[in-house]
Amino acid sequence: MHRRIATAILGLTLSVTVTARSIAQGLDPAWTEIGRTLGAAPVDGGGYIRFNFPRSDVRMTVGDVSVAPAMLSTAWVGFAGTPAAADAMGDLIILAGELPAVTKALADANIDIMAIHNHIGNEAPRLNYIHFHAMGNATDIAHRLDGVLKMTAIPRPVVA
């Protein structure tokens, strides 16, 4: 049964995962600088700029099945608009022990929490997903989000 659940989760994840490609050429230099602040390379999210943060520090299982971090535990932020006037939203993948510090850091950074919930059942360790939103100057948002990410064990800079 656990294998069927894991297979269903994997299929669902693959069907909704955005296939991202590097957008080094033609990229506004501000996005590259924002990537340095966040510790992740900008990728084309299909109409927005995306930065991914895999929880490679987490060895997760669903029942007795191991799940790769990229499948279910990649935090991310996407920026629509321009570096000067951006709309940012994303998911943070948080361990239970990180949750209090991260929610406080988001509030202190004036980044709106849209939802906190779980995507999976029977996973170990238990993961919390925080959907967030911010608007304004993308560099400013990146600096505020960097402070939030420092409250986690998410490995940065992200290694390709």
Side-chain angles (χ1 to χ4, degrees):
M1 177 171 170
H2 291 298
R3 289 202 187 277
R4 281 194 310 243
I5 292 170
T7 301
I9 291 170
L10 177 61
L12 177 61
T13 302
L14 291 174
S15 70
V16 299
T17 300
V18 175
T19 301
R21 58 186 161 82
S22 177
I23 54 172
Q25 291 194 356
L27 182 66
D28 184 320
W31 294 119
T32 302
E33 188 58 36
I34 289 165
R36 282 190 200 99
T37 298
L38 293 173
V43 294
D44 181 354
Y48 66 100
I49 306 298
R50 181 175 167 127
F51 300 88
N52 298 308
F53 312 99
R55 287 296 313 237
S56 58
D57 61 311
V58 175
R59 300 292 172 239
M60 188 173 64
T61 59
V62 176
D64 61 350
V65 177
S66 293
V67 181
M71 292 287 94
L72 296 173
S73 56
T74 296
W76 63 277
V77 60
F79 291 87
T82 67
D87 192 352
M89 55 190 327
D91 281 342
L92 296 177
I93 314 304
I94 304 301
L95 298 169
E98 298 170 336
L99 192 58
V102 169
T103 54
K104 181 179 183 328
L106 285 164
D108 291 348
N110 199 28
I111 298 173
D112 297 325
I113 296 172
M114 307 307 289
I116 301 174
H117 61 94
N118 303 100
H119 285 189
I120 312 160
N122 295 329
E123 83 273 15
R126 191 78 172 140
L127 300 177
N128 296 287
Y129 294 73
I130 302 177
H131 298 261
F132 64 90
H133 177 255
M135 294 178 73
N137 179 284
T139 300
D140 177 57
I141 294 169
H143 282 287
R144 292 185 281 145
L145 187 56
D146 175 57
V148 172
L149 290 167
K150 287 178 180 174
M151 300 289 108
T152 74
I154 295 173
R156 295 184 306 145
V158 175
V159 179

